[in-house]
């Protein structure tokens, strides 16, 4: 493990120095509201839902602008798992030349300002560097590091991750005070309100949120645990999209609806900014509640995709006619549709323990725009370290089981390559994932996490694996 700690130390000395210089050179006024709510775990640094720190309005000037920064480094290695055969979309083991490590390094600045009453603007410049195992993000249904969605880049690249404007319309009623944070200015707002957001952001900034599992930079890292695995959300090759989101907050209810841009070619960088040809629609209804005196929430989501995609059955038919392996990319057509739904729950048990669960499904007839999962069931718990005098530490334990559709199974058995999986053959069995992590607060807002993942039947193939991933994560917020 020595190389892991050495690599983290070298990268974070340079990165932390840069971020500190940025922060010190740009002083900013910010309120310091006091929260009496228990801190369950390291919080997601990007969340559209504001953190309420008082059920009543607080006198004083609202935060007019803010600057926050984050940096996250994740490094992982895997065991030399069983692999009797492999193809171009297989996860490669050590004996086949896949002995290298996988890592990601991201750094983000969260810049925000208040424009006029109820209006806020945000800009998130971001740097990213990293690579999947063997340089390709392939071989799993639920990938082991959510940051890998941003691609494979070394040396690092620089881009604007988010650039959006948010307008809040108060609908009367009592006020509540929200805490300032990344992409959220501190201040008072109506409990009943309408919020419209327009610009560039990530779909998961708004949808499928969960207090205990939502952000791979601070919580669970596997795609099938920090999000609904079968949720085909809109995203370019770096995980971001463009569009409009409307939210209606009414007491304990939250309703969200959005139209978001999808890539003009699946899993590429070019989005359809017209929002009329390649797009995704989604709605989500949330009911917050108190159970056993602890906060909980139930979220129901439905989405539709309308885009340029290939159909697996069409590819199978074409392969039989030409006596070739099926290829979904050769049967792509415009205006193809897919849809899906999901259920997302969270519940606090006490001040130290919270549980979560997700179920999601899509028909799996067309190639994916996110990961190769057609149905997914996941759940787990988060425990903070108060009982061992480490209240800012967090232990997470999660489990997920993923599956794919019958048409995609047949396609893979006939030697087809899906966007992210394809071993040249398939002995189908559901993919099973166990993930556990320990996040330790080292100093102020600097956390080090140890992570372990066990994945049986990788890419739904019982002939290969299981795969064990061992990793470390360093996360800094300023």
């Amino acid at each position: 493990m020595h190389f892991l700690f050495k690599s983290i130390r070298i990268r974070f000395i340079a990165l932390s120095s840069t971020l500190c210089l940025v922060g010190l050179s740009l002083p900013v006024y910010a309120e310091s509201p006091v929260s009496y709510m228990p801190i369950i775990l390291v919080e997601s640094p990007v969340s559209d839902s504001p953190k309420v720190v008082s059920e009543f309005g607080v006198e004083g000037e609202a935060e007019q602008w803010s600057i926050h920064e984050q940096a996250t480094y994740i490094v992982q290695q895997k065991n030399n798992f069983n692999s009797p055969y492999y193809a171009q979309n297989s996860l490669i083991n050590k004996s086949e030349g896949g002995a290298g490590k996988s890592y990601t390094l991201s750094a983000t600045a969260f810049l925000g300002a208040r424009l006029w009453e109820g209006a806020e603007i945000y800009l998130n410049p971001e740097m990213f560097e990293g690579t999947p195992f063997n340089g390709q993000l392939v071989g799993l249904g639920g990938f082991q590091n959510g940051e890998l969605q941003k691609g494979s880049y070394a040396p690092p690249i620089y881009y604007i991750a988010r650039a959006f404007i948010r307008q809040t319309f108060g609908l009367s009623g009592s006020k509540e005070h929200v805490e300032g944070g990344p992409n959220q200015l501190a201040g008072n707002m109506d409990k009943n309100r309408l919020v419209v957001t327009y610009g560039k952001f990530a779909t998961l900034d708004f949808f499928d949120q969960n207090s205990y599992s939502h952000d791979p930079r601070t919580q669970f890292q596997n795609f099938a645990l920090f999000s609904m695995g079968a949720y085909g959300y809109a995203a370019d090759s770096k995980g971001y999209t463009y569009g409009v989101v409307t939210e209606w907050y009414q007491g304990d209810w939250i309703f969200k609806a959005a139209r978001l841009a999808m890539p003009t070619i699946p899993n590429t960088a070019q989005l359809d900014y017209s929002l009329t040809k390649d797009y995704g629609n989604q709605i989500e209804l949330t009911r917050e509640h108190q159970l056993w005196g602890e906060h909980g929430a139930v979220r129901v989501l439905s989405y539709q995709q309308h885009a340029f995609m290939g159909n697996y059955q069409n590819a199978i038919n074409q392969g039989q006619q030409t006596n070739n392996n099926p290829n979904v990319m050769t049967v792509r057509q415009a205006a193809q549709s897919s849809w899906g739904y999901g259920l997302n729950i969270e519940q606090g048990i006490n001040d130290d323990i919270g549980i979560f669960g997700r179920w999601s499904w899509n028909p799996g007839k067309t190639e994916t725009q996110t990961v190769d999962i057609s149905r997914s069931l996941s759940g787990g718990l988060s425990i903070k370290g108060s009982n061992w005098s480490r209240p800012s530490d967090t232990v997470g334990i999660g489990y997920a089981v993923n599956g794919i559709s019958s048409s995609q199974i047949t396609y893979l058995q006939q030697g087809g390559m899906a966007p992210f999986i394809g071993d040249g053959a398939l002995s189908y069995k559901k993919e099973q994932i166990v993930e556990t992590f320990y996040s330790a607060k080292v100093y102020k807002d600097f956390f080090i996490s140890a992570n372990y993942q066990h994945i049986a039947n990788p890419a739904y193939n019982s002939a290969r694996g299981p795969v064990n991933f061992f990793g470390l994560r360093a996360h800094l917020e300023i």
Side-chain angles (χ1 to χ4, degrees), residues 120-427:
E120 304 160 11
I121 189 169
Y122 295 95
L123 184 70
N124 294 176
E126 188 164 77
M127 179 278 292
F128 177 79
E129 175 186 354
T131 182
F133 287 108
N134 213 41
Q136 299 182 74
L137 189 62
V138 294
L140 293 170
F143 288 104
Q144 80 284 352
N145 177 1
E147 288 276 81
L148 286 170
Q149 181 168 334
K150 294 178 176 61
S152 178
Y153 300 97
I157 59 170
Y158 303 85
Y159 53 90
I160 300 299
R162 298 173 181 84
F164 63 90
I165 185 171
R166 175 187 296 154
Q167 176 69 58
T168 300
F169 302 93
L171 302 177
S172 73
S174 58
K175 300 282 188 179
E176 59 187 9
H177 188 77
V178 299
E179 183 180 36
N183 293 342
Q184 180 62 59
L185 297 173
N188 298 328
M189 61 177 61
D190 288 1
K191 291 183 178 179
N192 300 328
R193 60 188 180 272
L194 186 69
V195 183
V196 180
T197 303
Y198 170 77
K200 183 183 180 183
F201 40 75
T203 302
L204 297 185
D205 292 345
F206 296 86
F207 296 91
D208 193 24
Q209 296 191 353
N210 192 292
S211 299
Y212 307 109
S213 183
H214 184 61
D215 192 333
R217 293 173 176 173
T218 60
Q219 301 166 331
F220 291 93
Q221 295 175 197
N222 195 284
F223 273 80
L225 281 164
F226 76 78
S227 66
M228 293 186 288
Y231 177 21
Y233 55 86
D236 64 11
S237 55
K238 295 186 184 68
Y240 300 103
T241 185
Y242 160 87
V244 59
V245 181
T246 301
E247 305 164 89
W248 180 25
Y249 293 79
Q250 185 73 24
D252 294 328
W253 295 88
I254 306 171
F255 176 77
K256 301 181 181 181
R259 171 162 287 198
L260 304 174
M262 296 184 66
T264 56
I265 298 175
N267 303 295
T268 60
Q270 184 58 51
L271 295 171
D272 175 18
Y273 288 96
S274 73
L275 298 176
T276 60
K277 186 178 178 182
D278 302 295
Y279 59 84
N281 295 323
Q282 43 261 301
I283 58 173
E284 183 182 68
L285 182 65
T286 299
R287 175 67 162 91
E288 298 182 331
H289 61 262
Q290 292 286 322
L291 187 61
W292 309 309
E294 300 293 335
H295 177 268
V298 177
R299 300 174 179 88
V300 179
L301 178 143
S302 178
Y303 74 93
Q304 177 217 10
Q305 295 177 329
H306 186 274
F308 179 65
M309 298 183 288
N311 180 283
Y312 287 119
Q313 189 58 54
N314 290 345
I316 293 170
N317 295 340
Q318 184 189 70
Q320 293 173 344
Q321 293 169 2
T322 60
N323 200 29
N324 291 314
N325 289 341
N327 186 344
V328 72
M329 290 189 293
T330 64
V331 294
R332 285 173 172 167
Q333 296 179 356
Q336 298 299 295
S337 293
S338 185
W339 66 284
Y341 67 88
L343 175 67
N344 174 343
I345 62 173
E346 64 175 86
Q347 181 61 55
I349 303 301
N350 55 39
D351 287 353
D352 297 324
I353 301 174
I355 61 174
F356 69 93
R358 289 182 170 98
W359 161 253
S360 54
W361 179 94
N362 68 62
K365 295 180 179 180
T366 60
E367 61 182 312
T368 182
Q369 297 276 359
T370 49
V371 292
D372 280 298
I373 301 175
S374 299
R375 53 226 57 193
S376 179
L377 178 66
S378 64
L381 71 159
S382 176
I383 308 169
K384 71 174 185 177
S386 300
N387 289 333
W388 54 93
S389 302
R390 298 281 301 178
S392 296
D393 290 6
T394 306
V395 175
I397 304 171
Y399 172 78
V401 56
N402 303 322
I404 53 177
S405 68
S406 58
S407 61
Q408 188 173 4
I409 292 171
T410 301
Y411 173 83
L412 294 169
Q413 288 174 336
Q414 295 183 5
M417 295 292 123
F420 301 102
I421 61 176
D423 297 323
L426 180 67
S427 178

Side-chain angles (χ1 to χ4, degrees), residues 76 144 221-222 434-435 451-455 467-469:
Q76 295 173 309
Q144 80 284 352
Q221 295 175 197
N222 195 284
V434 176
E435 178 178 359
N451 184 280
Y452 168 73
Q453 297 178 48
H454 174 86
I455 302 183
V467 188
N468 296 308
F469 297 94

